[in-house]
Amino acid sequence: MNRCDQLTGVFPISIVKVAIIAGYETTSQRICDQLTALWGAYISFIPMAAGRYEESMALDVDLILVSSHIIFTRSSPAVINKRTDVQIIGRTLSKAGWEKIKNLPDGNYMIVNDERDSAVETISLIYELGLRNVNLLPCYPGVPEQPESAIAITPGERSFVPAHIEHVIDVGERVVDISTMVEMLMRFHLLNHETTLILNEYAKKIVSRSQGLQATMHGLIHTKNLFEETLNMVQDGVVTYDERGKITFLNKVAEEILALPFSRVANRDIRGVCREMQIDTSFLDVDMQNQLITIRNQNILVNNMKILSRGNVAEGVITLKIAKEVEELELKLRTQLRTNGHTARFHFSDIVTNSPIMKRVVSRAQRMAPNDLGVLILGENGTGKELFAHSLHNASLRANFPFVAVNCSALPESLLESELFGYEDGAFTGAKKGGKPGLFEQAHRGTIFLDEIGDISPHLQTRLLRVVQQKEIIKVGGTRVLPVDVRVIAATNRNLATMIREEKFREDLYYRLKVLQIEVPPLRERKEDIPYLAQHFLKKKKMPTELPEPIIDVITQYHWPGNVRELENTIEYLSIMNDGDLQIEDLPFSIGEAVVQVASASDKMTQPRQAVNQRDEKLVPAEYVEMNVERLLLELVLEAKVRGLHTGRKHLMQLARERGVLLTENMIRKQVDSLRQKGLVNVQIGRAGCQLTPKGYAYIKNREEDL
């Protein structure tokens, strides 16, 4: 007496009885053991071989579980005539077994089982779970032609593996899927808190064939209607046919697409059904991916995957997806990417210039834009390199696709790598469950802008070279190669040629990036742009005024180390501090050097600098400076803002040194705290330091007027 028969005797008379029908009694017994281990307290399972259907009909059972659609189809008349309900068992692999094969490289692999149907079911299962880059060849006792392969995969059937096979991967016995158990429990009203806990624990150990079900099972498992709704979340239609071309299975989505119930086409010739529906059958002749065909006046993307045996077609799986839904999904994704900020905001028309040099640079960039080659943009900080990158994308053939910008110097190496290339589930501690797509994936069919490219590490340079050369990436913690179609625009303020000589930058990457090159000149080399840009920024700030001639002379002579960015910040400062009558004294203190050179500056702007010069540029402690320390610190914060610098303690110390004044970190800390309490500054977290409040600006302005 087998284990299940022995257990039957201890169940109460009212216990539910379920017969399990499989091709062989050994297979049925294994399924019986699996289910009894979980549900033996609720259900009595009785094993039965397919050849003993007549005996099963005599059994007084509440449900018949059939191990596969193939077994059901070939013996359906005997079952359909019986009033007892019939349910097809969904089978899958344990997570431990799936881990052994999910990353197998391309090649031929022998699938070994105790019978042909089981081997074919195992192959279909593996393909369905996602391993589709390999050829799986069925092998079983009595196979007409033994497939050629050095590696065998078997679901716990090692004894049937041919002796000459060099390597065997045992994925363990196929296990019953969650969906089968949930449907069975709901049928007999056995779904409760206790059984749900058992299901939850079991789900952690297997790879569910119904991913949507597993993800939402906790919320939808309490009613049958919601459960059936979850099953209908499957996106693709699936049709399988055997080596004779006979249809063996249709899922519900396939039934909807074809407008045919499975019962009407079961075991019918696939080509005959297609001809009746006026469907071109040429896609059945070869492996086909995303072939567009017409079914019932709908465009359908069809995939036809074959299980090959020495070059001859043995079995086939067809997937169907409505093309319109694919287009809508792609459009939705593209819209989300653009909504998330992955879009270029500027055009060449936004580049404001009156300089012949700059106009030639813009003209060259416009000619480069329609090409799909990489571009390297060189220039100092603040010259407008990002403006050129945005404009290049918007003038290219990729303008309708994402524009993804990333500052390579803003992130540490490990974080930048995972952001650029993405990562797999569990790649590192704290990794988002399910993994994350990288910026290269998000820029697919569009442009990625790598700013400050000269700051990346040698390791990332090597990874980036692979993307630029081969247009493919590998995620952090992954092994699968993902193709990407992306244009790379890079920018830097560094001298990459010098870095190559110093072996700090890869020469091969440099030449891959600079297929096309743009050099943006600094503001001091196009002085005619300075008053032109200043007037543009004044209008932008809604200040309809002309700059006085003395101020134009001053700003034209100034060196502008921060380039256009510093000029714009200076005009912003003027728009806040000026009451309508612009004077040289209104210029920020960092421009004082130019004021002294071209105009007669006021004593209040030059006196601190002169005092320092009399001391031979030696640093003077802050407490000995005529200006009070609070006012000095406010001016330093304002100067840092104009120059585009952070206002952390180190930057403020450096700016004080440039004035010949010694400020310690401790003194800055105390003064900033005092200014914050008086409402003159806001203190921010991190390197951003502090910023002047409107009250702080007013304080400086009022003190200037008092002098």
Side-chain angles (χ1 to χ4, degrees):
M1 183 178 293
N2 60 50
R3 178 185 173 189
C4 294
D5 292 336
Q6 292 172 339
L7 289 172
T8 304
V10 300
F11 289 142
I13 297 175
S14 61
I15 197 167
V16 174
K17 296 180 181 180
V18 175
I20 299 174
I21 309 298
Y24 288 89
E25 189 159 351
T26 53
T27 304
S28 177
Q29 182 66 54
R30 286 196 293 267
I31 298 173
C32 173
D33 291 341
Q34 291 175 16
L35 294 175
T36 299
L38 293 169
W39 314 114
Y42 306 93
I43 302 172
S44 171
F45 296 97
I46 305 168
M48 187 72 64
R52 297 170 57 191
Y53 252 97
E54 293 181 359
E55 295 180 35
S56 70
M57 305 307 295
L59 290 174
D60 183 18
V61 295
D62 304 290
L63 176 68
I64 296 176
L65 294 181
V66 183
S67 65
S68 71
H69 283 278
I70 296 174
I71 298 297
F72 171 78
T73 301
R74 292 178 179 174
S75 306
S76 58
V79 178
I80 293 173
N81 293 333
K82 187 75 168 65
R83 293 180 179 179
T84 305
D85 289 338
V86 178
Q87 180 182 333
I88 308 299
I89 299 175
R91 300 172 73 187
T92 184
L93 298 178
S94 67
K95 285 187 178 178
W98 176 240
E99 287 294 326
K100 295 179 181 180
I101 63 172
K102 70 176 184 179
N103 294 319
L104 287 177
D106 297 353
N108 293 334
Y109 297 84
M110 181 185 299
I111 300 297
V112 180
N113 218 310
D114 59 348
E115 58 171 328
R116 188 195 69 85
D117 290 345
S118 295
V120 172
E121 290 168 9
T122 302
I123 290 172
S124 298
L125 170 63
I126 293 174
Y127 280 138
E128 183 180 347
L129 292 179
L131 186 62
R132 299 178 181 176
N133 62 306
V134 297
N135 288 329
L136 303 179
L137 314 174
C139 181
Y140 48 88
V143 62
E145 293 182 274
Q146 195 171 95
E148 294 181 357
S149 173
I151 301 177
I153 301 172
T154 181
E157 302 283 2
R158 280 180 172 269
S159 60
F160 297 104
V161 176
H164 68 276
I165 294 299
E166 301 172 4
H167 183 52
V168 179
I169 304 174
D170 191 346
V171 296
E173 293 181 4
R174 287 183 295 160
V175 295
V176 180
D177 192 30
I178 284 286
S179 59
T180 299
M181 296 185 181
V182 173
E183 185 176 349
M184 178 181 65
L185 293 173
M186 294 180 70
R187 184 187 298 272
F188 300 118
H189 306 288
L190 293 174
L191 201 56
N192 52 45
H193 177 70
E194 183 178 346
T195 56
T196 299
L197 292 177
I198 297 173
L199 283 171
N200 291 340
E201 289 301 313
Y202 182 74
K204 297 176 183 178
K205 302 175 183 179
I206 70 168
V207 182
S208 177
R209 296 172 67 173
S210 304
Q211 296 297 330
L213 171 62
Q214 185 171 350
T216 57
M217 182 177 61
H218 298 286
L220 303 179
I221 206 169
H222 301 291
T223 67
K224 185 174 182 179
N225 289 337
L226 290 179
F227 167 70
E228 291 177 349
E229 180 180 338
T230 306
L231 291 180
N232 290 328
M233 291 170 60
V234 178
Q235 296 180 355
D236 293 0
V238 179
V239 181
T240 64
Y241 57 94
D242 62 18
E243 72 281 2
R244 302 168 299 165
K246 304 297 184 181
I247 297 174
T248 56
F249 173 68
L250 266 70
N251 71 348
K252 290 186 177 180
V253 176
E255 288 180 331
E256 292 174 1
I257 292 175
L258 299 174
L260 286 173
F262 174 56
S263 59
R264 286 184 54 188
V265 296
N267 208 33
R268 289 189 58 190
D269 180 67
I270 182 70
R271 294 180 184 273
V273 172
C274 287
R275 283 192 290 268
E276 288 179 7
M277 298 187 66
Q278 298 181 343
I279 300 173
D280 183 6
T281 60
S282 60
F283 73 91
L284 294 167
D285 298 328
V286 292
D287 279 350
M288 188 68 67
Q289 291 187 348
N290 294 327
Q291 174 72 31
L292 195 63
I293 65 173
T294 301
I295 299 178
R296 298 177 56 243
N297 297 321
Q298 285 193 105
N299 289 328
I300 304 295
L301 286 175
V302 60
N303 292 273
N304 184 47
M305 294 165 289
K306 294 183 173 61
I307 304 167
L308 303 178
S309 177
R310 302 181 67 88
N312 297 318
V313 177
E315 305 282 342
V317 178
I318 300 169
T319 62
L320 308 169
K321 184 183 290 288
I322 300 174
K324 185 178 180 180
E325 294 179 356
V326 177
E327 293 171 1
E328 291 174 351
L329 180 61
E330 184 177 350
L331 179 60
K332 182 179 179 181
L333 176 60
R334 190 185 310 159
T335 303
Q336 287 177 345
L337 289 174
R338 295 177 71 86
T339 303
N340 290 338
H342 295 322
T343 181
R345 303 185 303 276
F346 306 111
H347 298 76
F348 284 115
S349 59
D350 296 315
I351 300 177
V352 178
T353 182
N354 199 31
S355 164
I357 297 175
M358 191 65 170
K359 287 180 179 179
R360 285 195 295 270
V361 174
V362 173
S363 178
R364 290 186 62 221
Q366 288 174 326
R367 293 196 300 272
M368 295 177 183
N371 294 289
D372 212 24
L373 302 173
V375 181
L376 178 62
I377 307 174
L378 303 176
E380 296 179 5
N381 284 332
T383 53
K385 298 187 294 296
E386 185 167 357
L387 189 64
F388 273 91
H390 283 246
S391 302
L392 284 165
H393 174 77
N394 277 330
S396 73
L397 300 177
R398 297 174 178 264
N400 293 327
F401 297 97
F403 174 84
V404 179
V406 56
N407 189 324
C408 298
S409 66
L411 299 173
E413 178 184 351
S414 58
L415 182 56
L416 179 60
E417 182 177 19
S418 62
E419 286 296 312
L420 286 176
F421 304 105
Y423 55 80
E424 297 287 0
D425 188 5
F428 51 85
T429 302
K432 182 179 178 181
K433 187 175 181 180
K436 178 182 177 181
L439 294 177
F440 274 103
E441 285 183 83
Q442 296 181 44
H444 183 61
R445 299 187 69 184
T447 302
I448 189 167
F449 173 49
L450 303 175
D451 199 7
E452 306 295 350
I453 192 68
D455 293 344
I456 65 173
S457 67
H459 169 67
L460 282 182
Q461 291 176 33
T462 302
R463 293 207 63 180
L464 182 58
L465 179 63
R466 179 187 181 97
V467 182
V468 177
Q469 280 184 326
Q470 303 179 17
K471 302 292 185 183
E472 58 187 28
I473 63 169
I474 299 177
K475 290 187 178 184
V476 175
T479 58
R480 187 162 56 99
V481 175
L482 300 174
V484 290
D485 174 17
V486 63
R487 185 185 194 184
V488 177
I489 299 177
T492 183
N493 64 346
R494 292 174 174 263
N495 189 327
L496 295 184
T498 301
M499 293 180 67
I500 291 171
R501 289 194 295 271
E502 295 173 354
E503 298 184 351
K504 295 180 180 179
F505 200 86
R506 291 184 64 117
E507 185 175 11
D508 47 4
L509 177 58
Y510 171 67
Y511 287 112
R512 286 285 182 180
L513 292 173
K514 72 175 290 288
V515 179
L516 301 175
Q517 182 170 303
I518 297 172
E519 295 186 32
V520 185
L523 198 54
R524 63 182 175 275
E525 294 181 7
R526 45 186 175 109
K527 290 185 178 292
E528 57 268 47
D529 268 350
I530 295 173
Y532 190 68
L533 284 166
Q535 201 65 43
H536 169 76
F537 293 138
L538 283 172
K539 290 180 181 178
K540 187 177 178 181
K541 294 297 178 183
K542 297 182 179 180
M543 292 180 64
T545 182
E546 295 287 336
L547 288 175
E549 196 66 31
I551 292 183
I552 292 178
D553 291 339
V554 170
I555 65 175
T556 303
Q557 291 299 321
Y558 181 57
H559 189 66
W560 295 111
N563 290 290
V564 180
R565 184 183 295 118
E566 184 181 0
L567 175 60
E568 183 175 13
N569 289 341
T570 299
I571 299 302
E572 182 179 356
Y573 164 75
L574 291 175
S575 70
I576 296 173
M577 302 301 297
N578 179 260
D579 294 328
D581 183 21
L582 291 175
Q583 302 292 329
I584 291 178
E585 290 83 359
D586 293 322
L587 292 169
F589 306 101
S590 60
I591 306 181
E593 299 173 8
V595 175
V596 173
Q597 295 174 14
V598 299
S600 175
S602 62
D603 292 340
K604 63 183 178 182
M605 292 186 66
T606 59
Q607 186 173 353
R609 181 70 67 185
Q610 291 169 351
V612 173
N613 291 338
Q614 291 172 1
R615 292 175 177 269
D616 298 327
E617 297 185 346
K618 293 182 179 179
L619 298 180
V620 179
E623 57 265 29
Y624 294 112
V625 177
E626 295 181 17
M627 183 187 306
N628 89 35
V629 179
E630 282 190 350
R631 175 178 168 77
L632 173 63
L633 197 58
L634 288 172
E635 291 182 357
L636 293 176
V637 172
L638 182 59
E639 181 175 350
K641 162 69 175 175
V642 172
R643 293 173 61 172
L645 302 173
H646 295 298
T647 52
R649 290 190 295 273
K650 291 185 178 179
H651 276 144
L652 295 178
M653 289 171 60
Q654 180 60 37
L655 292 176
R657 288 192 180 95
E658 291 178 7
R659 294 187 177 207
V661 179
L662 176 64
L663 268 177
T664 65
E665 284 198 42
N666 189 45
M667 182 177 293
I668 292 175
R669 186 183 296 107
K670 290 181 179 179
Q671 291 298 327
V672 167
D673 188 58
S674 174
L675 293 171
R676 181 184 59 78
Q677 293 178 7
K678 294 178 180 180
L680 300 177
V681 297
N682 288 325
V683 180
Q684 300 178 342
I685 298 175
R687 296 191 305 170
C690 58
Q691 301 292 332
L692 290 179
T693 64
K695 185 177 179 181
Y697 281 112
Y699 176 84
I700 295 177
K701 183 67 176 177
N702 292 336
R703 291 301 300 270
E704 287 179 353
E705 292 174 353
D706 292 341
L707 294 175

